[in-house]
């Protein structure tokens, strides 16, 4: 539809019709299943409002969405189609690893491909918008939603934000892809204490420097929508924050797409204590330019009286309505309200061989080899007896909490993967131990007492499993333990203060370790766990996240050396939970700990823990060894750019891909600067014994930061460049910015 026609349409709508466009309701209002992601409340919304709402939350599937659309359009005076929005976070039917695993690939180009495939499946299933990517920077592993983020670094997160939006929205205006809604704007990942929905309070400098860039990257990549976050920033919940939404997002960044509140976040302005009732909450949110109210009666009931009483301007509401209509128009919904969704199309594009193949590739690249003592890995197929044990050994629960449209039955288990490499004589398997000692916490998520009692192993089974595992372990040469968090222990509202492996699994591991076999631990988790004890107990550690539909195959390829692991951490793994929040790019302190063996007090350190993480940002092993030499700068002085080069040599007989990382320290600034900041990275393929020179163009632009006066500038003076395989093991050279 042409712009003038769209404007005419807007003008022809009554106020209730206009306001309807700004209301989003969930499936239960449309006789569809309800996907519960927030507190369930009676909204007091009647059918008249439902018949006019603009969008539907979390209903997917071609059959269902088409049926709802048809029913709705029949009743609709102006035939404005519904928008279907859903949480499609890391795959629709083909599930990729959780985003923290995607971050560990350090391969945005690959992730762009994955999101393009996800969009194809989602579109077939009738989704028009996905609430992805989630690009919240996270530095506190206690936060359950670490799972959804690509990690702790603004440069890396921004690269992924751009890739994901680009992948999802490929060819969007010509009918391709689906619209991307970046979330949760802003700084949601900095919730105090890592506690879900908690306060965020930080300087504007840090906000701009570290937390905003990934959202900005998504906006620059053209994301059509932005979701507000639940948290406050500087005393104001974001959904009502003019500063964040209007001043920064709309005015500074020029974002003119749709802003949608997070689930019930408008009404929660009352609980936050910045509004006394729905009316005040509505006023705050609309004035901050929040366009769509997700799942509360606020806009539906309060916008019209506010307009009538002259408390908000008609233009303000019209602008919001127009943005929603424009999105519908840009997506071509007026021409085809289903956007090509059909069951035939679903069959064509769901979980194809190519998609499985891609999922396996992504999964392989996401796995991080954390430890390989005695070169325990890779194992050789059919040469030794391997015992696979643990609650994740033969478990299809490898897709994690936010894969709501994925199907467990599609998942390749680790055991299935191992069977490609080991015949029945060489593969021993038993579950060995339960996932959790106590499942009662699942009651919080709706499980009934009876259901909870059915979960897990009975005491007799536990005993039997343990004795079976110990017997088999004695027969085996190597024991592979597949352990990890329960799916419900991470994700939204999955904050934890103890982020070790569940106790029952730790005890089990201890018993296996006492047998002195070669041991490999595969960790399934939605966050960096504290693995400090495990490091001592096992030879190999493979961090597998929730690896997705093809997880079992990807892991088997790595364990048996078909694939050389190349994943690198995008989030530091703490040594102790007491260190959190933790991140490599910390500010310099006046009393830094310069030697880990420092004795005495009065430097910035803990009395009972090392300062360093257990595993640093950027860290990850492979089966090859790569040497870094000859770090060279094209000049010791920088005007606009500097060429940085380093030689990397694969000194092993195995092809590998090395992630070469470049960090910078601004030695003296008008404000305190971080000890190191990632500026660039490259993935470099290296054949056996191959040497390559890797070049980076470091620019003045990359040295900019928010100065004392809050200008975004690079300040002349001394800098240090660090290059290496991770943030810790680097070589360095100095230069001066003129
Ligand atoms: C979550 C969002 C999600 C929304 C809709 C909220 O609880 O914070 O990430 O997109 O629900 O399901």
């Amino acid at each position: 539809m042409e712009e003038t026609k769209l404007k005419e349409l807007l003008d022809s709508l009554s106020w209730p019709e206009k306001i309807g466009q700004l209301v989003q309701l969930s499936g239960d209002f449309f006789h569809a299943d309800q996907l519960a992601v927030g507190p369930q409340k009676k909204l007091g919304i009647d059918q008249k409002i439902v018949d006019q709402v603009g969008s539907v939350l979390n209903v997917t599937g071609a059959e269902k969405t088409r049926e709802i659309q048809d029913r709705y359009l029949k009743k609709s005076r102006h035939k404005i189609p519904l928008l279907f929005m859903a949480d499609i976070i890391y795959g629709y039917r083909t599930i990729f690893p959780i985003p923290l695993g995607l971050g560990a690939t350090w391969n945005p180009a690959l992730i762009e491909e994955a999101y393009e495939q996800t969009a194809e499946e989602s579109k077939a299933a009738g989704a028009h918008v996905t609430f992805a990517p989630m690009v919240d920077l996270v530095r506190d592993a206690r936060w359950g939603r670490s799972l959804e983020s690509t990690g702790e670094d603004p440069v890396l997160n921004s690269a992924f934000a751009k890739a994901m939006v680009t992948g999802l929205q490929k060819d969007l205006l010509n009918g391709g892809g689906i619209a991307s809604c970046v979330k949760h704007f802003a700084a949601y990942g900095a919730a105090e204490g890592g506690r879900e929905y908690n306060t965020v309070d930080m300087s504007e400098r840090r906000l701009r420097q570290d937390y905003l860039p990934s959202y900005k990257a998504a906006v620059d990549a053209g994301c059509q929508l932005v979701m507000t976050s639940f948290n406050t920033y500087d005393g104001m919940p974001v959904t009502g924050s003019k500063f964040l939404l209007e001043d920064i997002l709309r005015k500074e960044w020029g974002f003119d797409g749709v802003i949608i509140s997070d689930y019930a976040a408008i009404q929660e302005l009352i609980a936050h204590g910045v509004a006394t009732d729905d009316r005040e909450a509505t006023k705050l949110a609309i004035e901050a330019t929040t366009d769509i109210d997700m799942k509360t009666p606020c806009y539906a009931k309060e916008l019209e009286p506010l307009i009538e009483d002259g408390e908000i301007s008609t233009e303000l509401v019209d602008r919001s309505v127009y943005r929603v209509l424009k999105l519908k128009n840009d997506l071509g919904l007026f021409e085809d309200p289903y956007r090509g969704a059909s069951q035939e199309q679903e069959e064509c594009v769901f979980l194809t061989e190519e998609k499985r193949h891609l999922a396996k590739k992504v999964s392989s690249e996401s796995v991080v080899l954390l430890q390989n003592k005695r070169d325990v890995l890779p194992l050789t197929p059919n040469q030794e007896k391997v015992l696979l044990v643990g609650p994740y050994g033969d478990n299809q629960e490898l897709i994690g909490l936010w894969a709501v449209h994925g199907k467990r039955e599609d998942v390749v288990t680790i055991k299935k993967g191992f069977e490609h490499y080991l015949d029945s004589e060489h593969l021993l398997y038993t579950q060995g131990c339960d996932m959790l000692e106590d499942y009662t916490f699942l009651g919080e998520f709706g499980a009934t007492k009876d259901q909870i009692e059915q979960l897990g192993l009975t005491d007799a089974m536990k005993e039997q499993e343990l004795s079976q595992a110990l017997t088999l372990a004695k027969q085996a040469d190597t024991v592979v333990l597949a352990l990890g968090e329960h799916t419900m222990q991470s994700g939204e509202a999955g904050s934890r203060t103890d982020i070790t492996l569940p106790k029952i699994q730790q005890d089990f591991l201890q018993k296996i370790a006492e047998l002195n076999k070669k041991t490999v631990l595969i960790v399934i988790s939605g966050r960096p766990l504290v693995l400090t004890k495990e490091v001592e107990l096992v030879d190999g550690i493979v961090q597998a996240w929730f690896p997705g539909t093809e997880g079992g195959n990807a892991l088997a390829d790595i364990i048996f050396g078909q694939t050389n692991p190349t994943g690198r951490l995008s989030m530091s793994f703490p040594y102790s939970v007491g260190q959190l929040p933790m991140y490599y790019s910390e500010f310099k302190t006046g009393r830094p700990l310069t030697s880990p063996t420092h004795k005495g007090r009065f430097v910035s350190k803990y009395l009972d823990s090392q300062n360093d993480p257990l595993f640093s940002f950027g860290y990850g092993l492979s089966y090859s060894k790569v040497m870094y030499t000859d770090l060279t700068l094209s000049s010791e002085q920088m005007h606009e750019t500097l060429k940085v080069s380093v030689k990397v040599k694969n000194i092993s007989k195995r092809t590998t891909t090395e992630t070469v990382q470049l960090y910078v320290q601004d030695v003296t600034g008008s404000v305190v600067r971080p000890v190191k900041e990632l500026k660039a990275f490259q993935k470099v393929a290296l054949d056996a014994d191959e040497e390559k020179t890797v070049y980076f163009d470091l620019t003045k632009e990359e040295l900019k930061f928010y100065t004392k006066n809050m200008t975004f500038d690079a300040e002349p003076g001394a800098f240090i460049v660090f290059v290496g395989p991770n943030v810790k093991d680097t070589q360095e050279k100095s230069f001066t910015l003129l």
Side-chain angles (χ1 to χ4, degrees):
M1 192 187 300
E2 279 170 21
E3 207 182 302
T4 45
K5 282 244 156 12
L6 200 63
K7 290 207 162 120
E8 280 168 29
L9 174 64
L10 172 71
D11 291 339
S12 69
L13 301 182
S14 65
W15 277 117
E17 285 167 338
K18 284 182 180 176
I19 291 164
Q21 293 301 314
L22 307 183
V23 177
Q24 176 161 110
L25 294 177
S26 48
D28 44 336
F29 288 89
F30 301 90
H31 315 290
D33 300 338
Q34 159 87 323
L35 177 74
V37 291
Q40 299 304 297
K41 276 194 202 157
K42 292 259 171 290
L43 300 188
I45 280 181
D46 61 30
Q47 191 58 37
K48 232 170 96 204
I49 296 177
V50 178
D51 289 344
Q52 287 177 346
V53 302
S55 56
V56 184
L57 167 65
N58 272 335
V59 176
T60 60
E63 192 182 3
K64 246 188 282 172
T65 51
R66 288 183 72 111
E67 186 208 314
I68 293 174
Q69 190 74 282
D70 284 342
R71 224 183 313 131
Y72 175 88
L73 285 175
K74 257 190 215 133
K75 287 196 192 170
S76 152
R77 183 164 76 110
H78 295 277
K79 310 286 172 227
I80 303 172
L82 281 166
L83 265 173
F84 287 92
M85 307 198 192
D87 288 294
I88 301 159
I89 313 294
Y90 46 96
Y92 183 80
R93 178 70 184 265
T94 309
I95 303 299
F96 295 96
I98 57 169
L100 199 54
L102 302 181
T105 67
W106 290 59
N107 191 349
L110 179 67
I111 302 315
E112 181 177 322
E113 245 183 272
Y115 275 69
E116 192 181 339
Q117 296 302 316
T118 294
E120 188 183 58
E121 288 187 345
S122 313
K123 181 171 178 277
H128 304 141
V129 172
T130 173
F131 298 126
M134 184 278 214
V135 303
D136 305 329
L137 190 91
V138 54
R139 293 172 167 181
D140 194 326
R142 289 172 297 183
W143 194 44
R145 300 192 90 164
S146 303
L147 171 156
E148 286 174 63
S149 164
T150 49
E152 72 176 57
D153 184 76
V155 168
L156 195 58
N157 280 8
S158 298
F160 282 114
K162 177 175 175 206
M164 289 169 176
V165 172
T166 309
L168 288 168
Q169 296 196 159
K170 202 142 282 174
D171 233 4
L172 189 74
L173 301 183
N174 298 316
I178 58 172
S180 153
C181 173
V182 71
K183 69 187 186 189
H184 309 84
F185 184 80
Y188 182 33
E192 284 179 2
R195 200 182 77 213
E196 187 63 295
Y197 314 128
N198 203 9
T199 303
V200 171
D201 208 5
M202 66 174 74
S203 68
E204 187 179 334
R205 178 172 287 107
R206 171 164 283 185
L207 175 79
R208 288 182 179 275
Q209 192 82 40
D210 294 350
Y211 284 83
L212 292 188
S214 49
Y215 310 105
K216 173 77 162 45
V219 168
D220 289 347
C223 71
Q224 297 283 319
L225 302 91
V226 173
M227 185 188 289
T228 68
S229 54
F230 287 127
N231 57 279
T232 60
Y233 170 73
D234 195 15
M236 179 51 81
V238 175
T239 309
S241 168
K242 275 187 156 215
F243 170 65
L244 279 164
L245 301 182
E246 192 179 25
D247 297 350
I248 295 187
L249 181 56
R250 296 239 188 252
K251 290 191 182 147
E252 259 183 57
W253 298 359
F255 177 72
D256 201 25
V258 171
I259 298 181
I260 181 166
S261 78
D262 200 348
Y263 192 106
I266 295 184
Q267 206 169 41
E268 286 171 17
L269 294 171
I270 305 169
H272 274 291
V274 295
T276 50
D277 53 20
D278 286 1
R279 183 181 169 105
E280 275 185 32
T282 300
K283 189 161 186 262
L284 273 176
I286 193 80
E287 284 186 334
T289 73
T290 303
D291 299 310
I292 298 183
D293 177 1
M294 185 195 291
K295 211 40 210 214
T296 88
C298 286
Y299 276 18
K301 294 189 169 167
E302 305 296 341
L303 273 177
E304 203 175 350
L306 281 166
I307 295 168
E308 277 166 4
D309 296 347
E311 281 201 43
I312 53 172
S313 74
T314 52
E315 294 80 47
L316 187 68
V317 181
D318 272 345
R319 272 202 295 275
S320 285
V321 179
Y322 186 72
R323 283 193 280 259
V324 175
L325 293 178
K326 181 167 183 311
L327 176 60
K328 293 184 176 186
N329 194 35
D330 286 348
L331 289 173
L333 290 178
F334 290 101
E335 287 74 35
D336 172 8
Y338 320 113
R339 251 188 129 239
S342 70
Q343 281 168 289
E344 297 75 55
Q345 196 50 24
E346 286 181 339
E347 260 176 44
C348 253
V349 303
F350 278 5
L351 205 65
T352 56
E353 266 316 297
E354 295 76 44
K355 288 197 176 75
R356 273 201 181 267
H357 185 78
L358 181 66
K360 181 166 133 183
K361 183 168 166 52
V362 176
S363 226
S364 309
E365 292 200 21
S366 76
V367 169
V368 185
L369 179 62
L370 294 175
Q371 175 168 296
N372 199 13
K373 282 191 221 161
R374 301 194 273 167
D375 286 332
V376 61
L377 290 174
L379 306 181
T380 311
N382 283 336
Q383 268 207 1
E384 50 175 337
K385 276 202 161 93
V386 177
L387 168 64
L388 174 66
V389 276
Y392 278 113
D394 194 19
N395 192 338
Q396 289 185 305
E397 199 63 51
L398 294 179
I399 57 179
L401 188 66
W402 239 161
V404 280
H405 313 284
K407 291 200 184 324
R408 266 75 187 161
E409 63 260 33
D410 295 336
V411 173
V412 179
T413 69
I414 299 175
K415 177 160 175 275
K416 271 268 168 305
F418 274 30
E419 283 166 2
H420 294 303
Y421 290 95
L422 297 173
D423 57 28
S424 55
E425 194 191 320
H426 293 92
L427 175 60
L428 310 174
Y429 169 79
T430 195
Q431 182 179 327
C433 90
D434 212 348
M435 178 79 72
L436 296 174
E437 216 149 33
D438 182 0
Y439 290 84
T440 43
F441 85 107
L442 293 173
E444 283 194 38
F445 306 109
T448 62
K449 216 166 156 239
D450 281 355
Q451 284 168 333
I452 290 169
E453 271 165 20
Q454 302 298 313
L455 292 169
L457 305 176
T458 61
D459 286 346
M461 281 157 82
K462 276 186 198 158
E463 244 174 66
Q464 197 199 330
E465 274 298 336
L466 176 64
S467 95
Q468 170 82 342
L470 293 175
T471 309
L472 292 177
K474 282 178 198 148
Q475 295 165 21
D477 302 287
T478 302
V479 182
V480 178
L481 298 112
L483 308 182
E485 289 183 299
H486 187 278
T487 298
M488 296 302 280
Q489 289 182 307
S490 62
E492 185 172 352
S495 295
R496 295 170 67 197
T497 57
D498 175 356
I499 53 170
T500 54
L501 284 172
K503 173 84 171 46
I504 193 167
Q505 298 185 38
Q506 287 186 42
D507 294 346
F508 177 68
L509 173 58
Q510 177 72 45
K511 292 204 175 82
I512 294 285
E514 281 162 13
L515 301 177
N516 282 322
K517 297 285 175 171
K518 290 190 288 173
T519 44
V520 176
L521 168 63
I522 297 176
V523 182
I524 306 295
S525 68
R527 55 158 62 80
L529 294 178
V530 172
L531 297 171
T532 309
K533 276 196 209 147
E534 288 71 18
V535 161
E536 302 300 327
L537 291 177
V538 297
D539 298 307
I541 303 184
V542 176
Q543 176 63 41
W545 319 109
F546 283 91
T549 313
E550 279 289 313
N553 282 332
L555 279 162
D557 286 356
I558 284 177
I559 299 281
F560 293 95
Q562 176 72 24
T563 303
N564 199 355
T566 56
R568 298 291 174 83
L569 298 179
S570 62
M571 198 173 164
S572 311
F573 270 45
Y575 178 85
S576 149
V577 72
Q579 295 170 309
L580 297 174
M582 120 168 297
Y583 48 98
Y584 79 89
S585 62
E586 59 189 15
F587 289 124
K588 294 184 199 166
T589 76
R591 294 187 177 184
L593 175 68
T594 44
S595 152
T597 54
H598 174 94
K599 294 270 176 293
R601 304 178 84 95
F602 310 121
V603 294
S604 178
K605 67 169 196 133
Y606 297 103
L607 292 179
D608 57 353
S609 161
Q610 64 185 44
N611 280 7
D612 283 342
L614 184 64
F615 298 111
S616 305
F617 179 80
Y619 171 83
L621 301 172
S622 77
Y623 300 144
S624 312
K625 284 235 157 359
V626 174
M627 251 178 42
Y628 285 64
T629 55
D630 297 346
L631 173 62
T632 311
L633 306 186
S634 55
S635 162
E636 282 175 8
Q637 298 182 333
M638 182 197 252
H639 290 276
E640 289 301 322
T641 63
L642 206 63
K643 249 203 188 348
V644 180
S645 66
V646 70
K647 285 189 178 148
V648 285
K649 180 162 190 192
N650 181 359
I651 50 169
S652 71
K653 296 289 168 218
R654 213 180 253 275
T655 302
T656 191
T657 300
E658 178 70 5
T659 303
V660 183
Q661 302 162 33
L662 185 150
Y663 299 85
V664 162
Q665 184 193 110
D666 184 347
V667 180
T668 313
S670 59
V671 289
V672 176
R673 310 290 354 273
V675 290
K676 278 180 187 168
E677 290 174 291
L678 180 74
K679 292 297 171 188
F681 57 92
Q682 281 181 44
K683 294 200 85 156
V684 184
L686 292 169
D687 282 336
D689 298 318
E690 191 182 7
E691 181 175 76
K692 278 186 182 162
T693 305
V694 181
Y695 295 94
F696 292 96
D697 286 316
L698 184 64
T699 64
K700 188 174 168 185
E701 190 62 30
E702 288 170 296
L703 304 181
K704 287 187 173 172
F705 67 101
Y706 287 89
T707 65
K708 192 172 176 190
N709 305 323
M710 286 304 279
T711 56
F712 190 61
D713 269 326
E715 293 177 341
F719 285 81
I720 307 172
V721 178
F722 307 84
V723 178
N726 59 62
V727 71
K728 213 170 138 204
D729 304 314
T730 50
Q731 315 196 358
E732 55 184 84
K733 277 264 150 72
S734 300
F735 71 92
T736 308
L737 175 68
L738 296 176

